[in-house]
Amino acid sequence: MNVQDPRKLSVEGLEGLRTLLQLLTNYFKVEIGTRLLDHMRTIAEPATLQKVSFTLIESHAKMKVVTAIFSVFHLLPSAAVQFLPELVERVLQLEASLRRTRASPFRSPLIQYLNNYANESWTFFCAAMDEEGKGRFFAQVLAHEHSGPLRNKVVAETEALIATFTPTDGSSDVLARAAVNAIHVVHSVCQFDEPGKKLLEDEKLRDALLKAAISLQGMDRANTLSGTLRLAVVQSAEHITDILTQYLRSHPDDLDMLFRILEACTADQLTKCPGLFAYLYQHVITNESVEYQRSVMGRCIDIYTSKQSPQNMKWFAFHYVLNPILANDAMRNWDSLFEAGTKGTALLDRSMTDQIHNKLWKPQSNSDVSSDDERQGVDHSRMELLQTTAFLVKYHHNMLQDARKDIIKFGWNYIRLDDVINKYAAYVLIAYFIANYETPSKIALQVYGALLRAHQAEGKNLVTQSLEILQPVLKKRLGGPDGRQAIWSKIPRRIVSEESNNVAQLASIYQFLVRHPDLFYEAREVFAQTIIPSINKVAGLPNPSTESRKLALNLVSLLWQWEERTIREQGSLSGGDSPLIDPQIQGKRAAVAPAPLRLALVKYLVQFIATIPERYPTSASKHREERQSGGMHQQMPTDTVVRAVDLLHRLLSPPFWDDVDVDAMFPKVTEQILCSELKPEEKQDVWTTRVVNTIQILKVLLNTRSDDWVAARLGQLQKLLAKPLKSDNVEVQDALHGVDLPDDVQPKLPPILQRTLEVIPLQLPDDELPDAESPTEEFKTFLSTTASDALNGSSHMAGINILWALSQRRSEDIHTHIEALLKTFQTKLAKDHISSQLTPAQQISQGMQAPTVPNSPEANITVDLIIKCIDMLSGCISALVDRRRPYLSVLASLVERSNDNRLCEKILSQVETWVFNPTEPVPTLKEKTAVLQKMLLFEARPDLTMYNKFMEL
């Protein structure tokens, strides 16, 4: 083995040297270590380290040699202890040059060396504890699984360890570095159970660590730490939490330490780390020992009753300890909790409830709580006590019979507070009390009225919860007769009439009404008299808030539910006597309101739909979403507008409000939007939404009225549809003609033209002569002219959609447009579709300005139009005459060059009909064969779906 030349050092040679050292330790001199360290400097030169830092260190040849050199030192004679400082420095320098901070291949051999000289190593690192690099390195070494002797030395030298981070002099940064490194060292030792337990048995060490951590947090908050220490201090906060919770796991009965930690956390002296909450849940809240949990709850109660305890500590003790323990106890005993005669649980027995009663409820029920309002955090601690009390009344009311008087006095005392949240939390408690205990009607009435009058936004959720708790027992607790004069109905009616201009008050009461339609059914007429006129106040158009829109629709739904129940029970809305409706008024006398009020509500709902910013979904919506999804455009929800249209349809459909005169809504709403042009200052998207939604209104009106009503208004319809029918907007066209709506959209109504054409007879009676000026003929002529102009112009989509609607009624109606339709199909649609099948480079080479992607929304729309053209032209194939051959040639070309399975499947289906179910002598066998032969090309496509279907044919 040649150790004179660094270039001749090898891993194998150094392994041989190690073997010799193991056999002949005293034969060698320690000076060999000096020579090896010199060689290491030559091998690990800066340029080499810079290059190696970007590779895998463990696999680099020179780094393997360096690692082998380190592995020799622990086998040298005992005098090799002199190399300890230099070896540590050398490893730190190498790791810094190699950009490694937590692990490297040099550490394992160094740890072997340090274990051999554990006493000297401890002395060395103990003196360097205030150095950031060496202290952190020592802690990381202690965390290594093979550092047992070093850890044992640390455990045996706790006094010296404490002295390293509790010096009497030194700068703040020096003290902070020593404290951070000491905490890190103890944390590393505590990762191993046996040495960790021994180390934490030292009370002085625990106290010193806790004080050091508190001191570090104080310096951090005071901003007196240097920048390099800030992250280390944050990490030390997590480490001290892990250390102390590990001690508590082995000493769960040391509640003094537990609550000392909690006090430090609530005083912002320690950080509330996740490890603390994990310990509380796993070892306190879910602890199986009833006695342990009882002692913890007792400490929490004592903290709350102590005047010296900070409010934050009271809040924390109840919020994170006592209340979760009670909740877990309820879950643990859930099956037996609601059995008749149940008297508490093992944890919550008579002694515990008496303790809560005597220490918490009784003093709070007689004290002047307003005197504590100035103390910081008192509102939070009161809230936790209210939650505790409400929880116990809800789940353990059988146990609290003797404390009922003090509980109600306690709750009543708190409803006088100025703080809105605490005040209405007390109402929640009282509501639980009324729901579970016999209560005088006077108290129940007073609480019910106060809750209905509450409308502050901060306490809205608590008020809602209180009313929901009271609702099942309202009739029982309030007493009195049922019907229109029931006390639970009179109070909200009176408040609504008195506070008719207070929108927040109206909204609060209406929210309660819509959640319980059956409770107020008997008084529905009186409520309807108020709801309908005030609905525009609750959700003022045209820009109500999201919450207001939901409430407005809930109110409309409430009225419909009342009507639906009347029809279900009485058979119709025409019967019944109502003292609020003039007997002279004919019609639906059992409805919730007279016809003028019902018309006003329908008008509001129509304006609501027309002005809402949500767009009603159409079959084109998916194309818009695909187009915008590339830019991560957030789609606006459609639930509100869909629900509004559904409610309008339900209300206007028989046997509900089909007697309402809706004629006034044609000129006022629909004409104003459908007959107008896009204004320069108006956004295209907003205008499209208004038009699409208004079309839905028109569709509902047409589908809820009789055929005679529709036929009498064909002239108005012609005026309303003139602009939308000609529109090039895809969504407007789909709103007019589309039927492919999402599954969750209701109602699914037939398109406008389909419904309108249904009322026009296919043939005139024999005794009636054709009249070109009749409304029906004028409307048909209008559609035909509009379609012709659109096909001859640039609005191919509009023209094809109109002809499609006409052909669904009678195919003969489009015979006069066959030439224009075939021309559009052949020269525009088919050409565009075939071009879209080309690659972008091919499209550009052919001079196309904007290459079309095959599966883009535009390409899919073109396919939809082609399929409609195929349906229409194939339906009148005999009328094509000499234009039949060009039509079939286009079909063959599409089969040959189109990769769209939907289109090819349509052509295949059409040819199958011609072959197996022909209704006309054309196309001829030769023409059918020509199209079928092109389908043999399906075999060469990557997707064999169409080929398999062709072979089945």
Side-chain angles (χ1 to χ4, degrees), residues 892-906:
S893 178
L894 287 172
V895 169
E896 179 182 3
R897 303 173 66 180
S898 174
N899 292 318
D900 189 284
N901 282 356
R902 192 158 55 100
L903 177 56
C904 293
E905 189 172 351
K906 175 62 185 175

Side-chain angles (χ1 to χ4, degrees), residues 780-927:
K780 289 165 59 179
T781 304
F782 158 71
L783 292 179
S784 180
T785 304
T786 303
S788 179
D789 293 343
L791 289 177
N792 293 327
S794 58
S795 302
H796 306 298
M797 178 169 52
I800 290 172
N801 283 333
I802 295 172
L803 293 180
W804 169 259
L806 290 171
S807 69
Q808 297 303 298
R809 175 177 175 268
R810 192 173 63 176
S811 60
E812 289 83 355
D813 290 346
I814 67 168
H815 284 184
T816 56
H817 302 280
I818 284 179
E819 187 171 350
L821 183 61
L822 183 59
K823 181 180 178 182
T824 300
F825 174 59
Q826 184 175 4
T827 62
K828 173 64 179 172
L829 299 178
K831 183 179 178 182
D832 287 351
H833 176 69
I834 291 172
S835 298
S836 71
Q837 305 299 302
L838 303 176
T839 64
Q842 292 173 327
Q843 294 182 36
I844 294 173
S845 66
Q846 294 186 14
M848 298 176 65
Q849 296 296 322
T852 305
V853 182
N855 292 321
S856 66
E858 292 80 4
N860 290 332
I861 291 169
T862 301
V863 170
D864 291 338
L865 295 177
I866 290 176
I867 290 175
K868 287 184 178 181
C869 287
I870 292 173
D871 271 337
M872 289 187 285
L873 292 171
S874 299
C876 53
I877 188 75
S878 60
L880 293 178
V881 194
D882 56 346
R883 292 183 289 268
R884 186 174 70 252
R885 182 166 294 179
Y887 167 60
L888 295 173
S889 298
V890 175
L891 290 185
S893 178
L894 287 172
V895 169
E896 179 182 3
R897 303 173 66 180
S898 174
N899 292 318
D900 189 284
N901 282 356
R902 192 158 55 100
L903 177 56
C904 293
E905 189 172 351
K906 175 62 185 175
I907 298 173
L908 179 65
S909 173
Q910 185 60 59
V911 173
E912 182 179 3
T913 302
W914 286 336
V915 171
F916 294 108
N917 301 296
T919 57
E920 299 183 53
V922 290
T924 63
L925 180 61
K926 182 179 179 181
E927 292 169 337

Side-chain angles (χ1 to χ4, degrees), residues 341-380:
T342 299
K343 292 289 185 180
T345 63
L347 173 63
L348 199 72
D349 57 5
R350 174 64 61 185
S351 62
M352 180 57 68
T353 55
D354 288 345
Q355 187 178 356
I356 296 172
H357 178 199
N358 295 323
K359 291 187 176 182
L360 296 176
W361 297 331
K362 188 174 289 186
Q364 294 283 334
S365 65
N366 298 317
S367 63
D368 182 9
V369 292
S370 61
S371 61
D372 296 333
D373 285 349
E374 300 301 323
R375 288 191 290 172
Q376 185 178 7
V378 68
D379 294 336
H380 296 284

Side-chain angles (χ1 to χ4, degrees), residues 351-609:
S351 62
M352 180 57 68
T353 55
D354 288 345
Q355 187 178 356
I356 296 172
H357 178 199
N358 295 323
K359 291 187 176 182
L360 296 176
W361 297 331
K362 188 174 289 186
Q364 294 283 334
S365 65
N366 298 317
S367 63
D368 182 9
V369 292
S370 61
S371 61
D372 296 333
D373 285 349
E374 300 301 323
R375 288 191 290 172
Q376 185 178 7
V378 68
D379 294 336
H380 296 284
S381 60
R382 284 173 177 167
M383 187 67 180
E384 294 307 317
L385 179 56
L386 286 166
Q387 287 197 13
T388 304
T389 310
F391 181 89
L392 293 176
V393 173
K394 179 179 181 180
Y395 292 108
H396 300 283
H397 50 271
N398 292 332
M399 290 284 296
L400 307 176
Q401 294 288 343
D402 296 339
R404 284 184 301 168
K405 181 179 177 181
D406 287 320
I407 291 174
I408 192 66
K409 287 172 66 178
F410 163 71
W412 210 262
N413 205 13
Y414 270 48
I415 64 175
R416 301 191 186 100
L417 293 171
D418 293 331
D419 181 74
V420 174
I421 303 299
N422 284 166
K423 178 178 181 177
Y424 291 114
Y427 273 110
V428 174
L429 166 60
I430 295 174
Y432 275 123
F433 186 93
I434 295 172
N436 289 289
Y437 299 117
E438 289 292 337
T439 308
S441 59
K442 182 179 179 180
I443 294 178
L445 189 63
Q446 187 174 348
V447 171
Y448 181 52
L451 289 171
L452 289 176
R453 289 187 180 277
H455 57 271
Q456 291 92 337
E458 302 93 327
K460 183 175 66 174
N461 292 334
L462 291 170
V463 171
T464 300
Q465 183 181 358
S466 301
L467 288 171
E468 293 303 302
I469 296 167
L470 283 178
Q471 184 270 327
V473 298
L474 269 181
K475 294 183 179 181
K476 182 179 179 181
R477 297 290 185 253
L478 296 182
D482 290 347
R484 296 187 181 95
Q485 301 304 317
I487 188 68
W488 55 85
S489 299
K490 289 174 67 176
I491 296 176
R493 277 170 15 215
R494 183 170 65 246
I495 297 173
V496 167
S497 63
E498 293 172 357
E499 303 285 346
S500 58
N501 293 321
N502 188 335
V503 176
Q505 179 69 78
L506 292 176
S508 178
I509 292 180
Y510 288 162
Q511 291 282 13
F512 184 52
L513 293 181
V514 299
R515 288 193 298 270
H516 305 288
D518 292 335
L519 183 64
F520 301 100
Y521 173 74
E522 297 296 337
R524 62 192 182 282
E525 294 157 350
V526 185
F527 280 115
Q529 304 278 345
T530 308
I531 290 173
I532 296 174
S534 63
I535 194 169
N536 203 30
K537 295 180 183 177
V538 174
L541 300 176
N543 296 310
S545 65
T546 302
E547 188 174 349
S548 298
R549 290 202 295 263
K550 289 181 179 178
L551 178 56
L553 290 185
N554 285 338
L555 288 172
V556 177
S557 178
L558 171 69
L559 298 174
W560 181 83
Q561 290 177 64
W562 282 341
E563 298 289 53
E564 191 270 339
R565 178 175 169 180
T566 302
I567 292 174
R568 190 172 66 247
E569 294 179 355
Q570 301 182 18
S572 70
L573 296 176
S574 59
D577 296 326
S578 175
L580 299 174
I581 301 179
D582 189 343
Q584 300 300 320
I585 299 177
Q586 299 299 317
K588 300 182 181 290
R589 297 176 59 197
V592 293
L597 271 181
R598 288 187 279 126
L599 177 60
L601 182 67
V602 172
K603 285 182 179 178
Y604 173 83
L605 194 53
V606 166
Q607 291 173 344
F608 181 93
I609 297 168

Side-chain angles (χ1 to χ4, degrees), residues 151 221 287 388 436 617 624 646 651 663 723 851 922 926:
R151 286 192 292 272
R221 286 196 306 274
N287 197 303
T388 304
N436 289 289
R624 177 164 59 100
D646 184 34
L651 286 173
D663 284 351
K723 290 185 182 298
V922 290
K926 182 179 179 181

